[in-house]
Amino acid sequence: MNIVVVGPGAVGSLWAYSLQQAGHRVSLWGTQDTSHWALQLDESPSIDFAYNQPDTLRHADLLLITVKAWQVESALQPLLPLIEQETILLFMHNGMGALDNLADRLRTFPALLATTTHGALKTSAHTVKHTGLGHTQLGAFNPLGAQCEFIAEVLNHALPSVAWNMHIEQALWQKLAVNCAINPLTAIHHITNGELAQPQYRQTLDSIVTEVVSVMQAERMPVDLAALRATVDNVIHATAANRSSMHQDIFHRRRTEIDFITGYVVRKAQQHGLAVPANLALHQHIQSIEQSWTQS
Ligand code: PAF
């Protein structure tokens, strides 16, 4: 397939490299002013990718969009007039709600949503490390996307394991709950994911997850509080040495995904008339850190 990876950060670069290795014609689209970009995955040889070449968009069978949630709209708008209506759009990012304002414009394209637990780290502009094996789930964002189940097999061949999920919304909510629990707390306290296992965080973690569950129930998402709490603990242990993406964003003074993680839960809670004080406090705390950068 002709594949363009839009936003080759850590996860995008991991997929670009793996899909090229699996025999696809992969190119990159991003913010650099260049026509080629080399990438190296772990100790494997470096591969040279076409970069920001409009021809690759015109011929794309699949756009894999791995920019951050808050960049999705601005990254995609200028590309839509340049691609064919048959081009499949696959979105992979933390958080929810990034496509809310785009749904109408995406109606004529097959659109898919994915969530992955693969760990990836950009160690330099041209090198990426695969820090943890994971699982990827994808499913339809719109009716045209529902006809693209075969993409799960294409991805599975390149970077297993990948499964099609008829209820991708549920998987996205589960991941959202994990991100709500881990990301803001690790960013605020400057700690690794594993340090959240310390007893002083237990009550806050419980409150965060309990609140997310109440919103999920209002959204009619099937959910089990004890199972979700156990999932959060499992991720904390499995990624114990990692610094969460929000921790890294705060450390580097980059805009975080808080509005699409905790902020999404807060907005949904407001719509349902539910109080989510623990999540609200974390949302405000991260926002105030971000605001302090523009003021200083
Ligand atoms: O955003 C992240 O860092 C990851 O989604 C997760 C699961 C919290 C692990 O660090």
Side-chain angles (χ1 to χ4, degrees), residues 132-153:
L133 276 179
H135 177 62
T136 304
Q137 301 183 65
L138 69 152
F141 172 71
N142 61 15
L144 286 174
Q147 295 164 24
C148 299
E149 195 172 335
F150 72 95
I151 292 293
E153 201 34 60

mmCIF file of all heavy atoms in Angstrom, residues 132-153:
data_model
loop_
_atom_site.group_PDB
_atom_site.id
_atom_site.type_symbol
_atom_site.label_atom_id
_atom_site.label_comp_id
_atom_site.label_asym_id
_atom_site.label_seq_id
_atom_site.Cartn_x
_atom_site.Cartn_y
_atom_site.Cartn_z
ATOM 1 N N GLY A 132 8.588 -0.836 24.330
ATOM 2 C CA GLY A 132 7.715 -1.857 24.912
ATOM 3 C C GLY A 132 6.774 -2.428 23.870
ATOM 4 O O GLY A 132 6.158 -1.684 23.114
ATOM 5 N N LEU A 133 6.725 -3.761 23.833
ATOM 6 C CA LEU A 133 5.788 -4.406 22.909
ATOM 7 C C LEU A 133 4.368 -4.128 23.365
ATOM 8 O O LEU A 133 4.100 -4.078 24.564
ATOM 9 C CB LEU A 133 6.006 -5.918 22.929
ATOM 10 C CG LEU A 133 7.105 -6.480 22.043
ATOM 11 C CD1 LEU A 133 7.167 -7.982 22.221
ATOM 12 C CD2 LEU A 133 6.847 -6.119 20.583
ATOM 13 N N GLY A 134 3.470 -3.949 22.432
ATOM 14 C CA GLY A 134 2.097 -3.644 22.828
ATOM 15 C C GLY A 134 1.076 -4.256 21.907
ATOM 16 O O GLY A 134 1.389 -5.099 21.053
ATOM 17 N N HIS A 135 -0.134 -3.811 22.089
ATOM 18 C CA HIS A 135 -1.269 -4.302 21.309
ATOM 19 C C HIS A 135 -2.003 -3.086 20.753
ATOM 20 O O HIS A 135 -2.102 -2.063 21.434
ATOM 21 C CB HIS A 135 -2.186 -5.115 22.239
ATOM 22 C CG HIS A 135 -3.417 -5.616 21.572
ATOM 23 N ND1 HIS A 135 -3.381 -6.489 20.508
ATOM 24 C CD2 HIS A 135 -4.731 -5.360 21.805
ATOM 25 C CE1 HIS A 135 -4.624 -6.753 20.126
ATOM 26 N NE2 HIS A 135 -5.462 -6.079 20.891
ATOM 27 N N THR A 136 -2.480 -3.218 19.526
ATOM 28 C CA THR A 136 -3.188 -2.102 18.886
ATOM 29 C C THR A 136 -4.600 -2.546 18.537
ATOM 30 O O THR A 136 -4.796 -3.651 18.040
ATOM 31 C CB THR A 136 -2.435 -1.671 17.598
ATOM 32 O OG1 THR A 136 -1.091 -1.342 17.956
ATOM 33 C CG2 THR A 136 -3.103 -0.471 16.935
ATOM 34 N N GLN A 137 -5.552 -1.686 18.840
ATOM 35 C CA GLN A 137 -6.945 -1.970 18.462
ATOM 36 C C GLN A 137 -7.412 -0.876 17.532
ATOM 37 O O GLN A 137 -7.105 0.297 17.756
ATOM 38 C CB GLN A 137 -7.837 -1.963 19.695
ATOM 39 C CG GLN A 137 -7.439 -2.977 20.748
ATOM 40 C CD GLN A 137 -8.426 -2.950 21.897
ATOM 41 O OE1 GLN A 137 -9.586 -3.277 21.730
ATOM 42 N NE2 GLN A 137 -7.960 -2.533 23.051
ATOM 43 N N LEU A 138 -8.169 -1.247 16.505
ATOM 44 C CA LEU A 138 -8.737 -0.213 15.662
ATOM 45 C C LEU A 138 -10.162 -0.554 15.290
ATOM 46 O O LEU A 138 -10.572 -1.718 15.351
ATOM 47 C CB LEU A 138 -7.889 0.071 14.421
ATOM 48 C CG LEU A 138 -7.771 -0.949 13.321
ATOM 49 C CD1 LEU A 138 -7.505 -0.250 12.006
ATOM 50 C CD2 LEU A 138 -6.590 -1.851 13.636
ATOM 51 N N GLY A 139 -10.884 0.498 14.937
ATOM 52 C CA GLY A 139 -12.286 0.328 14.585
ATOM 53 C C GLY A 139 -12.770 1.523 13.805
ATOM 54 O O GLY A 139 -12.016 2.477 13.561
ATOM 55 N N ALA A 140 -14.037 1.474 13.421
ATOM 56 C CA ALA A 140 -14.584 2.494 12.526
ATOM 57 C C ALA A 140 -14.930 3.771 13.270
ATOM 58 O O ALA A 140 -15.501 3.729 14.358
ATOM 59 C CB ALA A 140 -15.821 1.947 11.844
ATOM 60 N N PHE A 141 -14.615 4.912 12.637
ATOM 61 C CA PHE A 141 -15.083 6.197 13.138
ATOM 62 C C PHE A 141 -16.383 6.578 12.445
ATOM 63 O O PHE A 141 -17.225 7.255 13.010
ATOM 64 C CB PHE A 141 -14.014 7.277 12.911
ATOM 65 C CG PHE A 141 -14.493 8.669 13.217
ATOM 66 C CD1 PHE A 141 -14.718 9.061 14.526
ATOM 67 C CD2 PHE A 141 -14.748 9.589 12.200
ATOM 68 C CE1 PHE A 141 -15.183 10.347 14.828
ATOM 69 C CE2 PHE A 141 -15.213 10.877 12.483
ATOM 70 C CZ PHE A 141 -15.431 11.248 13.797
ATOM 71 N N ASN A 142 -16.532 6.117 11.178
ATOM 72 C CA ASN A 142 -17.757 6.444 10.436
ATOM 73 C C ASN A 142 -18.167 5.230 9.587
ATOM 74 O O ASN A 142 -17.422 4.239 9.503
ATOM 75 C CB ASN A 142 -17.555 7.729 9.604
ATOM 76 C CG ASN A 142 -16.446 7.593 8.568
ATOM 77 O OD1 ASN A 142 -16.008 6.492 8.266
ATOM 78 N ND2 ASN A 142 -16.007 8.715 8.026
ATOM 79 N N PRO A 143 -19.356 5.276 8.948
ATOM 80 C CA PRO A 143 -19.833 4.103 8.206
ATOM 81 C C PRO A 143 -18.867 3.648 7.107
ATOM 82 O O PRO A 143 -18.693 2.438 6.903
ATOM 83 C CB PRO A 143 -21.165 4.581 7.612
ATOM 84 C CG PRO A 143 -21.639 5.649 8.547
ATOM 85 C CD PRO A 143 -20.394 6.328 9.035
ATOM 86 N N LEU A 144 -18.205 4.577 6.402
ATOM 87 C CA LEU A 144 -17.252 4.143 5.363
ATOM 88 C C LEU A 144 -16.070 3.407 6.004
ATOM 89 O O LEU A 144 -15.550 2.450 5.446
ATOM 90 C CB LEU A 144 -16.743 5.352 4.564
ATOM 91 C CG LEU A 144 -17.737 5.964 3.565
ATOM 92 C CD1 LEU A 144 -17.165 7.237 2.956
ATOM 93 C CD2 LEU A 144 -18.081 4.963 2.469
ATOM 94 N N GLY A 145 -15.687 3.852 7.183
ATOM 95 C CA GLY A 145 -14.584 3.208 7.892
ATOM 96 C C GLY A 145 -14.922 1.771 8.280
ATOM 97 O O GLY A 145 -14.043 0.911 8.343
ATOM 98 N N ALA A 146 -16.214 1.509 8.499
ATOM 99 C CA ALA A 146 -16.632 0.158 8.917
ATOM 100 C C ALA A 146 -16.326 -0.882 7.842
ATOM 101 O O ALA A 146 -16.306 -2.085 8.121
ATOM 102 C CB ALA A 146 -18.126 0.163 9.244
ATOM 103 N N GLN A 147 -16.069 -0.415 6.616
ATOM 104 C CA GLN A 147 -15.754 -1.364 5.525
ATOM 105 C C GLN A 147 -14.258 -1.640 5.423
ATOM 106 O O GLN A 147 -13.812 -2.281 4.466
ATOM 107 C CB GLN A 147 -16.264 -0.790 4.201
ATOM 108 C CG GLN A 147 -17.779 -0.660 4.153
ATOM 109 C CD GLN A 147 -18.246 0.259 3.017
ATOM 110 O OE1 GLN A 147 -17.545 0.447 2.036
ATOM 111 N NE2 GLN A 147 -19.429 0.821 3.182
ATOM 112 N N CYS A 148 -13.482 -1.141 6.354
ATOM 113 C CA CYS A 148 -12.013 -1.226 6.230
ATOM 114 C C CYS A 148 -11.374 -2.149 7.265
ATOM 115 O O CYS A 148 -10.229 -1.922 7.687
ATOM 116 C CB CYS A 148 -11.405 0.164 6.335
ATOM 117 S SG CYS A 148 -11.975 1.259 5.047
ATOM 118 N N GLU A 149 -12.087 -3.192 7.634
ATOM 119 C CA GLU A 149 -11.571 -4.126 8.647
ATOM 120 C C GLU A 149 -10.223 -4.727 8.219
ATOM 121 O O GLU A 149 -9.394 -5.064 9.070
ATOM 122 C CB GLU A 149 -12.624 -5.226 8.861
ATOM 123 C CG GLU A 149 -12.385 -6.028 10.101
ATOM 124 C CD GLU A 149 -13.533 -6.987 10.405
ATOM 125 O OE1 GLU A 149 -14.689 -6.734 9.983
ATOM 126 O OE2 GLU A 149 -13.244 -8.005 11.065
ATOM 127 N N PHE A 150 -10.008 -4.854 6.890
ATOM 128 C CA PHE A 150 -8.766 -5.470 6.390
ATOM 129 C C PHE A 150 -7.515 -4.716 6.851
ATOM 130 O O PHE A 150 -6.423 -5.293 6.895
ATOM 131 C CB PHE A 150 -8.788 -5.567 4.856
ATOM 132 C CG PHE A 150 -8.636 -4.245 4.155
ATOM 133 C CD1 PHE A 150 -7.391 -3.815 3.716
ATOM 134 C CD2 PHE A 150 -9.734 -3.432 3.949
ATOM 135 C CE1 PHE A 150 -7.243 -2.590 3.085
ATOM 136 C CE2 PHE A 150 -9.605 -2.202 3.309
ATOM 137 C CZ PHE A 150 -8.360 -1.780 2.879
ATOM 138 N N ILE A 151 -7.675 -3.448 7.221
ATOM 139 C CA ILE A 151 -6.503 -2.664 7.658
ATOM 140 C C ILE A 151 -5.890 -3.272 8.928
ATOM 141 O O ILE A 151 -4.683 -3.198 9.143
ATOM 142 C CB ILE A 151 -6.885 -1.176 7.884
ATOM 143 C CG1 ILE A 151 -7.219 -0.508 6.553
ATOM 144 C CG2 ILE A 151 -5.773 -0.391 8.584
ATOM 145 C CD1 ILE A 151 -6.036 -0.347 5.599
ATOM 146 N N ALA A 152 -6.711 -3.929 9.737
ATOM 147 C CA ALA A 152 -6.182 -4.572 10.953
ATOM 148 C C ALA A 152 -5.149 -5.630 10.561
ATOM 149 O O ALA A 152 -4.084 -5.741 11.194
ATOM 150 C CB ALA A 152 -7.315 -5.189 11.763
ATOM 151 N N GLU A 153 -5.436 -6.375 9.489
ATOM 152 C CA GLU A 153 -4.512 -7.430 9.042
ATOM 153 C C GLU A 153 -3.227 -6.807 8.474
ATOM 154 O O GLU A 153 -2.120 -7.294 8.718
ATOM 155 C CB GLU A 153 -5.221 -8.310 7.993
ATOM 156 C CG GLU A 153 -4.637 -9.671 7.817
ATOM 157 C CD GLU A 153 -4.079 -10.286 9.106
ATOM 158 O OE1 GLU A 153 -4.833 -10.479 10.090
ATOM 159 O OE2 GLU A 153 -2.865 -10.542 9.129
#
